[in-house]
Amino acid sequence: MPFNHITESDLKFLKTFMEADQVSTGESNLNLHSADQAYHKGYMPEVIVWPKSTEEVSAIMKMANDRMIPVTPWGAGTSLEGNCCPVAGGIVIDFQLMNKILGIRTEDFQVDVQAGVTYKDMNKVLAHHGLFFPPDPGANATIGGMVANNSSGIRTIKYGSTKDNVLRLLAVLPTGDVIHAGSRSYKSSSGYDLVRLLVGSEGTLAVITEITLRLAGITEEFSAGVVTFESVREATDAVYEIMAHGLIPAALELLDADAISFINKDGKIHLDERPTLFIEFTGSNQKSLAKDLKVAEEICNNHHCTGFQMGVGRDERNRLWEARHGFGESLMRCNPGLDILIMDTAVPLSQFSGMVEYATKTAASYGLKSCVSSHAGDGNLHLNVIGDMQDKAFLDRLDRAYEDIVSYAISVGGTATGEHGVGIGKRRFMIQEHGQGVEVMRGIKKFLDPNGILNPGKVLP
Ligand SMILES: Cc1cc2nc3c(=O)[nH]c(=O)nc-3n(C[C@H](O)[C@H](O)[C@H](O)COP(=O)(O)OP(=O)(O)OC[C@H]3O[C@@H](n4cnc5c(N)ncnc54)[C@H](O)[C@@H]3O)c2cc1C
């Protein structure tokens, strides 16, 4: 559908209900909202708006819908699949000014927030109440962006991903209509699940303005270990067995020897350069935690681990998780002038060892330099490929490896993306993964966004 460009009279109209400094067509602001944090090329929007309320978002959407102007919601811009790139120009709605914590209900372990609050800022405040929101992507994302991408992280293995922790949403439809979805109850069998429809919809179905999140209590007791192996296969087989034993780690992460070497090069911590698992159990009883770690140690010994450093102290543990969280940034710092493509796939746990083996061998067969960082306990692989995206020959090899690796994940019952979303990068795999289901998705999109103005060019092929 042909879109219209922003006119002087549109800008004037936007300023009738927002302050002048909430609307910008300045070059630097447009640039800052043109691309995400991955290698995707930039697309210039025409205007950036910073609404302060749901009412303002509703007025923006109504105007855009009436005038057929594309709109892209924007959280912190940390996406990795081009999710927030304004490919059709138009309006970018930046949620920076909608960053309030509206209410903390400690008695129900819940918080109400505006979409633009960042999860790190929110968790700092929640810590004073002994609570936290567990899904934690590596970047300081907004809650709106996390909900829209259904992101997750190292704690998902115990607490679930974002979708498992969103109870209620306030959302503005492309027409400007405002809807509530969900309730404050943990359980509900009431009607179609609109919360789950909007979580992970990447800003293509509605603009989310307020969110009620389910929280967890901060557990003080922990038991952590670092385990090294001769081979990645031994490490991934140990992961399967740890999970098969019914242990519930609070984190179970895999880094291969090359990934560890980048952490070492970055200099904050020094680890043995071998395939490594970071394991942590959390709870209220130190005795049972130590017992869990002991079982994990036995399993790792059966898989010929070369080192099992148990009972890591608080400082050392914090340094380890800092290194793991900062891994993406370490990778960039250690490879100046090069780009990183993170292939994010997830498979059923029984297929995880095969997935890692297939992905690393395939990347090597195309002559690509790569390393593994993985939320292993979830069966979620990140294969980080390092290279120059301006180099046509490299891009061609990368593209073929990408096709093979994602197709393999789908063929063993997995998914094209475990947590980074579809964006631009994974659209081509949607029919392969969902078949006729894509037609249902198209129908939903058409119903909610008949003019196709909301984040066009994303998710659907
Ligand atoms: C170094 C690094 C490490 C990362 N590690 C992880 C990780 O471990 N796990 C993980 O899941 N992700 C990870 N990511 C990816 C990224 O941080 C997440 O996808 C995050 O959720 C994006 O949030 P954001 O606020 O930056 O959203 P943006 O990137 O700004 O937007 C994300 C999507 O949400 C839409 N959107 C934003 N706000 C709204 C709203 N209010 N209403 C409707 N739609 C909206 C946008 O249009 C876009 O489609 C990482 C990124 C980086 C750079």
Side-chain angles (χ1 to χ4, degrees):
M1 235 179 275
F3 295 121
N4 288 319
H5 290 289
I6 289 276
T7 62
E8 276 307 315
S9 98
D10 295 327
L11 294 175
K12 225 171 175 178
F13 176 74
L14 289 169
K15 289 176 192 168
T16 60
F17 59 91
M18 289 187 283
E19 309 283 331
D21 62 1
Q22 288 175 257
V23 181
S24 172
T25 53
E27 187 80 7
S28 60
N29 275 322
L30 300 184
N31 259 320
L32 281 172
H33 294 84
S34 62
D36 67 356
Q37 303 243 327
Y39 62 95
H40 301 97
K41 73 176 183 129
Y43 300 85
M44 286 298 257
E46 292 162 75
V47 59
I48 317 298
V49 292
W50 289 267
K52 290 182 179 165
S53 66
T54 301
E55 291 70 28
E56 289 181 358
V57 174
S58 167
I60 296 162
M61 290 312 301
K62 183 156 177 18
M63 179 201 107
N65 197 45
D66 291 347
R67 287 267 303 111
M68 291 286 293
I69 294 168
V71 176
T72 307
W74 183 280
T78 67
S79 284
L80 295 170
E81 289 294 350
N83 324 48
C84 58
C85 298
V87 297
I91 302 171
V92 165
I93 303 183
D94 184 322
F95 280 89
Q96 202 180 349
L97 299 182
M98 290 185 67
N99 62 351
K100 292 191 183 55
I101 295 179
L102 302 168
I104 302 172
R105 276 170 289 103
T106 46
E107 68 281 12
D108 284 326
F109 319 107
Q110 293 180 15
V111 66
D112 301 321
V113 295
Q114 287 185 314
V117 71
T118 67
Y119 89 94
K120 280 188 187 166
D121 288 348
M122 183 184 76
N123 271 346
K124 261 185 220 150
V125 175
L126 293 174
H128 296 296
H129 301 266
L131 296 167
F132 78 119
F133 178 59
D136 58 346
N140 193 14
T142 62
I143 298 297
M146 288 180 67
V147 169
N149 277 358
N150 185 22
S151 51
S152 48
I154 60 172
R155 301 290 174 203
T156 294
I157 186 172
K158 180 165 178 177
Y159 298 97
S161 61
T162 298
K163 81 173 158 49
D164 303 306
N165 295 282
V166 176
L167 295 173
R168 190 166 169 271
L169 295 171
L170 189 64
V172 180
L173 301 181
T175 50
D177 293 325
V178 179
I179 60 160
H180 290 269
S183 75
R184 291 197 166 115
S185 167
Y186 283 177
K187 286 181 70 174
S188 173
S189 304
S190 178
Y192 299 142
D193 192 342
L194 297 183
V195 172
R196 294 298 179 288
L197 176 64
L198 296 185
V199 176
S201 64
E202 300 184 28
T204 61
L205 299 180
V207 183
I208 296 156
T209 56
E210 290 180 18
I211 303 138
T212 297
L213 298 171
R214 175 181 186 159
L215 305 173
I218 296 175
T219 43
E220 276 304 312
E221 300 292 339
F222 70 90
S223 168
V226 181
V227 199
T228 51
F229 294 83
E230 274 305 339
S231 70
V232 169
R233 180 76 197 207
E234 302 266 33
T236 54
D237 286 349
V239 166
Y240 180 77
E241 224 175 293
I242 287 168
M243 299 308 291
H245 263 73
L247 297 177
I248 306 175
L252 180 49
E253 296 286 306
L254 164 73
L255 292 122
D256 71 2
D258 289 332
I260 296 289
S261 79
F262 287 122
I263 287 183
N264 287 345
K265 240 185 237 158
D266 208 25
K268 291 196 188 83
I269 195 163
H270 193 86
L271 297 164
D272 205 3
E273 288 181 13
R274 291 173 190 267
T276 301
L277 296 180
F278 291 180
I279 307 183
E280 182 168 305
F281 295 95
T282 56
S284 55
N285 179 334
Q286 193 48 248
K287 230 176 170 174
S288 71
L289 295 178
K291 221 161 122 192
D292 285 348
L293 201 59
K294 190 83 200 125
V295 177
E297 184 181 15
E298 275 163 26
I299 292 169
C300 291
N301 278 330
N302 290 340
H303 288 278
H304 316 109
C305 69
T306 52
F308 195 104
Q309 189 192 345
M310 273 179 75
V312 170
R314 191 170 294 275
D315 288 348
E316 176 72 354
R317 171 240 205 181
N318 290 347
R319 269 201 301 279
L320 280 172
W321 289 125
E322 212 178 294
R324 174 63 189 98
H325 266 118
F327 174 70
E329 279 151 20
S330 297
L331 205 52
M332 289 176 203
R333 275 195 293 273
C334 294
N335 293 283
L338 293 176
D339 303 292
I340 317 284
L341 177 125
I342 308 175
M343 292 191 201
D344 159 48
T345 60
V347 292
L349 215 51
S350 64
Q351 302 295 324
F352 184 62
S353 290
M355 177 79 240
V356 177
E357 212 159 80
Y358 181 85
T360 47
K361 278 192 180 150
T362 302
S365 76
Y366 284 104
L368 301 171
K369 184 178 168 193
S370 73
C371 64
V372 171
S373 61
S374 161
H375 306 308
D378 299 324
N380 185 190
L381 168 68
H382 289 171
L383 187 78
N384 308 281
V385 180
I386 304 151
D388 177 4
M389 302 286 173
Q390 308 306 318
D391 174 349
K392 177 107 190 33
F394 168 79
L395 261 188
D396 183 52
R397 283 183 286 128
L398 176 64
D399 197 56
R400 282 186 285 147
Y402 197 52
E403 185 79 34
D404 290 354
I405 291 169
V406 177
S407 297
Y408 178 89
I410 295 170
S411 75
V412 297
T415 174
T417 165
E419 56 181 27
H420 296 165
V422 180
I424 307 168
K426 295 275 174 66
R427 287 164 76 206
R428 61 171 145 153
F429 299 106
M430 289 301 97
I431 290 176
Q432 193 180 342
E433 181 171 345
H434 301 289
Q436 270 298 105
V438 169
E439 286 314 308
V440 178
M441 294 184 201
R442 282 193 215 278
I444 292 169
K445 170 77 175 167
K446 186 88 194 141
F447 175 74
L448 290 175
D449 184 14
N451 292 330
I453 58 160
L454 202 44
N455 205 2
K458 311 294 166 57
V459 182
L460 295 170

